[in-house]
Amino acid sequence: MGDVHRLTSTDDAERAASAWLARMNADDVTDDDRTRFEAWLHAHSCNAKAFQALSATWQELVESGPLVRAVNFGQVMNAASASPAPRRRWAAAVAAGIGAIILGGGWNLYKQKEETRFQTAIGEQAAVAMPDGSSFDLNTDSRIWVDYSQRQRVIRLERGEAFFKVAHDTQRPFWVRAGDYWVRAVGTAFNVYLTPTGVEVTVSEGTVKVVNATANESPPSDAAITESAAAVTAGEQADAHGRAKVIHELNSAQLSRLLAWRKSSLYFQDQPLGDVVNELMRYTTLKIELDDDALRRLPVGGTFQTSPEGAEALLTMLQDGFGTTIRRDDQGHVYIEGPAK
């Protein structure tokens, strides 16, 4: 009997095309990747057709630039944990999940080693679903690593802010590493914001424990954190700096305001203009500067989008409603000048 040649199916071509599209847009694409991609592309007409169709969809998403990306990454994580070869593991994972992934703008995700990285650009957000029913929302200019397996659920927040809703699993605690701290949860909902000086942990459901990290990269055991952990319950926020962890009680209005970014909005009520500007600058590439302390203390309020448009709305409000002067330069700096009375 002669050799049996397996015909390339449309489904096979589409799965491979999704993997190649993600790979060719990854930060670490290599010359070897490009060579192998060209070989695959010209190996069969189905390959080129599938890649062209998927690329067209990609381009539409890039041009539309939606502010919020949604990802169901359960298939990706399960596929990643099942394959032993790093490169094949990565390709299989992306191929399995590409159909549920919305890509565009500065949104960045890829498989590397044993973890998956999610990253948002300035003014962009992402919602990610995990296989066990847990999920997390990633705020503007944030980067996170997910190490998910049948043995553990470990998240490393390298930059920015994320809100976690954790499915209950006492046998597999949910750990978040942010700066010099570990946050432990079993089944709860909480927000972690990595600030320039420490970490803010805000809890909306259940209880989490916040503990200082050691030189060991792995999460501490439950026995090891009993004495040193700070328990933070629903309606509280832990402000962690160095060895100190200060717990603040929050009323419903304060809690809603702190978590409003998840609905792509920011609420301010009689807050110093300096604080409002600092918060809105997280969502824009503009560098906004105030010329005096009186202006920084000016109480302002309002609702703004978590996007560059939100910052522009603030500038318009200050110019039209407060009589300030808005001056811009070619380097993206914006200077707010004027009376603070």
Side-chain angles (χ1 to χ4, degrees), residues 275-291:
D275 293 349
V276 175
V277 165
N278 288 339
E279 184 64 19
L280 282 172
M281 276 201 297
R282 296 175 58 198
Y283 302 89
T284 179
T285 57
L286 296 176
K287 305 301 180 185
I288 305 174
E289 299 183 22
L290 302 168
D291 69 346

Side-chain angles (χ1 to χ4, degrees), residues 107-125:
W107 170 247
N108 185 316
L109 60 90
Y110 66 88
K111 188 74 189 164
Q112 185 181 62
K113 296 181 180 178
E114 296 298 330
E115 299 179 334
T116 303
R117 185 183 80 176
F118 298 85
Q119 178 171 306
T120 53
I122 293 175
E124 186 175 47
Q125 295 172 343

Side-chain angles (χ1 to χ4, degrees), residues 13-46:
E14 289 178 350
R15 282 193 293 269
S18 68
W20 277 118
L21 180 63
R23 184 69 207 140
M24 298 308 290
N25 283 276
D27 293 342
D28 59 348
V29 62
T30 65
D31 290 339
D32 178 60
D33 290 329
R34 297 185 180 93
T35 299
R36 293 186 305 107
F37 166 69
E38 290 295 329
W40 170 83
L41 191 66
H42 295 98
H44 198 284
S45 59
C46 284

Side-chain angles (χ1 to χ4, degrees), residues 7 50 70 73 76 110 116 127 139 145 150 163 191 193 196 199 219 225 299 321:
L7 298 177
F73 226 58
V76 173
Y110 66 88
T116 303
N139 202 1
W145 290 92
Q150 296 303 314
F163 178 88
N191 192 82
Y193 177 27
V199 173
I225 70 171

